[in-house]
Amino acid sequence: MSDGRVNNADQQEQEQNLVNAPVKRSLGLLITTYGCLFVGSVASSLLAKYYFVHGGSSRWVSTWVQSAGFPLLLVLIYFPHFVFKTTKGRPFTRFTQRHLFFSVVIGLFLGFNNFLFSWGTSYLPVSTSSLLLSTQLIFTLILSVIIVKQKVTFSNLNCVVLLTLSSVLLALGSSQDKPAGLTKTKYFIGFLSTIGAGLLFALYLPVTERVYRSVYCYAMVMEMQLVMEFSATVFATVGMAFDGGFKEMVKEANQVFTKGPTVYWTVAILANVVTWQLCFAATSGMVYLTSGITGGICMTALLAMNVIGGVVVYGDEFGGVKIVSTVLCIWGFSSYVYGLYVKMKKEEKKEKEEKGYTGVKTAEDGGEMQVEMGKVKNDDVAAADERV
């Protein structure tokens, strides 16, 4: 009787850990997700500015394209199960009413965040808006501590301080970065809108991390992301309908956009839709595979690439303040990555000592190597596979 109770308790504990513990995933999937985040983040920021530079003026159109590509996520949801046979459960079979509720609420919240970002992009240079968005990181850390009990370490605190300092320096020297013909009032609106978008995104990251703790696989993350992006698209569509955005799209394409209607629909609209969806899907994947704070740090580090992209593509000024800000941004991210590397090596060495062997565990020994927040671990492969 006692053995039965013990086994039952052990089984319940394993099931609880399966839901609540951060999910282990292959290093290849993590690298692929970050690669998609890199491409999506840099390309979407440049294309968002491209729309306004060449005559586009509707903030609602810019907001709408950030989420309208949600049908593309159906590929990531259905292909793993029906084509590649890598997932056991059928799509949406474990999608509960709780998941639906949180996905809809977060999606509407994300839609408003997209709107603020569009306002900021319409007025500010890409390099300025990119560095301003890095202010979200310190709030991401604070909210992660509160919402998901994130442990504060020297590496993540040092990274947050350096990246936030880079934004403060930019803010102090931004008065001379105002584009020609732009009033101080509009520049101030763009400045505050970008800061607001960063702060809302800081809340988005730990909230989604908390919700993803009840998610069973990567494909289910995409299921929730599909509902979020659909809700954000509804928000933007309603705004466009009241503001005449759909008629304005046709007018912009045929009469206003300086590159002509073909470039308008293929680059300013379609390419924007695809790259933004790639960016947001990869962001959700990073949060699921690692944590909200790690996802925020990775995105903030990419802002340095956006700064360089703005200088190269649009000729944004790159004076002393931006140089220092960019260096601090790269420095902060590098220190965080190094901290993860040191942590990984220490824990790997500790596990080898505990298990009494050296070398990487092979498939015959129990499965392929897994990663969790930079930590190498080979246990519980069967449990991890079941969540795929």
Side-chain angles (χ1 to χ4, degrees):
M1 179 69 70
S2 61
D3 291 340
R5 285 197 297 268
V6 171
N7 292 334
N8 187 44
D10 290 341
Q11 183 178 0
Q12 290 179 352
E13 182 179 356
Q14 290 178 359
E15 292 177 352
Q16 186 70 16
N17 290 336
L18 189 62
V19 174
N20 293 334
V23 185
K24 308 171 191 65
R25 288 298 181 264
S26 70
L27 183 60
L29 181 59
L30 188 62
I31 293 175
T32 301
T33 300
Y34 190 70
C36 292
L37 179 60
F38 178 90
V39 174
S41 176
V42 176
S44 59
S45 296
L46 294 176
L47 287 172
K49 188 64 180 179
Y50 182 87
Y51 167 77
F52 291 107
V53 166
H54 293 289
S57 60
S58 175
R59 281 90 185 172
W60 282 114
V61 171
S62 180
T63 303
W64 184 79
V65 298
Q66 293 180 54
S67 57
F70 67 89
L72 297 174
L73 295 175
L74 293 173
V75 176
L76 298 177
I77 294 172
Y78 284 96
F79 268 50
H81 177 74
F82 291 104
V83 179
F84 302 117
K85 308 296 183 181
T86 56
T87 57
K88 296 180 181 179
R90 293 174 62 88
F92 293 100
T93 53
R94 293 183 174 181
F95 203 87
T96 65
Q97 291 184 350
R98 178 176 179 272
H99 292 132
L100 178 62
F101 172 77
F102 281 110
S103 297
V104 171
V105 172
I106 294 174
L108 295 174
F109 172 84
L110 190 61
F112 181 66
N113 178 79
N114 294 343
F115 180 68
L116 289 178
F117 177 83
S118 297
W119 269 93
T121 303
S122 65
Y123 289 140
L124 300 179
V126 172
S127 54
T128 302
S129 61
S130 296
L131 287 171
L132 284 176
L133 286 172
S134 65
T135 57
Q136 57 88 14
L137 197 55
I138 189 170
F139 294 99
T140 300
L141 179 60
I142 295 173
L143 293 172
S144 293
V145 171
I146 297 173
I147 297 175
V148 296
K149 310 303 179 184
Q150 172 69 44
K151 184 178 180 181
V152 179
T153 63
F154 174 78
S155 61
N156 60 31
L157 182 60
N158 178 63
C159 178
V160 167
V161 171
L162 289 174
L163 292 176
T164 304
L165 180 60
S166 72
S167 299
V168 172
L169 288 175
L170 179 69
L172 294 176
S174 62
S175 59
Q176 298 179 354
D177 195 34
K178 184 171 66 67
L182 186 67
T183 64
K184 290 184 178 180
T185 300
K186 290 183 177 181
Y187 187 81
F188 185 68
I189 292 175
F191 198 93
L192 290 182
S193 297
T194 304
I195 293 292
L199 296 181
L200 288 178
F201 199 75
L203 178 60
Y204 164 81
L205 291 173
V207 167
T208 52
E209 180 187 352
R210 182 66 179 268
V211 174
Y212 288 161
R213 290 185 175 182
S214 63
V215 169
Y216 294 91
C217 63
Y218 197 91
M220 191 172 177
V221 173
M222 295 300 107
E223 293 171 9
M224 293 193 66
Q225 186 66 19
L226 176 72
V227 178
M228 291 179 193
E229 296 296 334
F230 175 77
S231 300
T233 304
V234 170
F235 175 87
T237 302
V238 172
M240 287 184 66
F242 278 98
D243 197 43
F246 292 104
K247 293 181 179 178
E248 190 170 350
M249 289 177 71
V250 178
K251 181 181 178 181
E252 282 183 345
N254 297 324
Q255 302 177 20
V256 179
F257 200 71
T258 58
K259 295 295 183 178
T262 301
V263 176
Y264 180 86
W265 292 113
T266 56
V267 179
I269 301 299
L270 181 60
N272 248 318
V273 167
V274 174
T275 54
W276 273 116
Q277 204 54 232
L278 185 65
C279 178
F280 283 125
T283 300
S284 296
M286 285 296 297
V287 173
Y288 175 67
L289 294 171
T290 58
S291 67
I293 185 63
T294 300
I297 287 174
C298 290
M299 289 200 67
T300 304
L302 289 178
L303 295 178
M305 298 303 300
N306 290 341
V307 173
I308 297 174
V311 174
V312 173
V313 177
Y314 299 115
D316 292 350
E317 294 183 6
F318 196 62
V321 173
K322 284 187 179 179
I323 293 175
V324 174
S325 296
T326 303
V327 170
L328 288 175
C329 186
I330 297 174
W331 180 14
F333 178 70
S334 299
S335 67
Y336 183 75
V337 172
Y338 179 74
L340 286 180
Y341 172 77
V342 172
K343 179 182 177 183
M344 179 187 71
K345 299 304 288 185
K346 288 182 178 179
E347 294 182 351
E348 182 180 7
K349 182 179 179 180
K350 181 179 179 181
E351 288 181 2
K352 288 180 180 179
E353 292 175 349
E354 290 176 351
K355 294 184 178 182
Y357 72 90
T358 59
V360 179
K361 197 171 186 180
T362 63
E364 295 179 355
D365 295 324
E368 62 182 41
M369 183 170 62
Q370 303 290 327
V371 296
E372 173 194 352
M373 286 290 292
K375 179 174 68 178
V376 178
K377 189 171 182 178
N378 301 98
D379 295 343
D380 304 325
V381 174
D385 288 341
E386 198 155 307
R387 294 183 63 173
V388 176

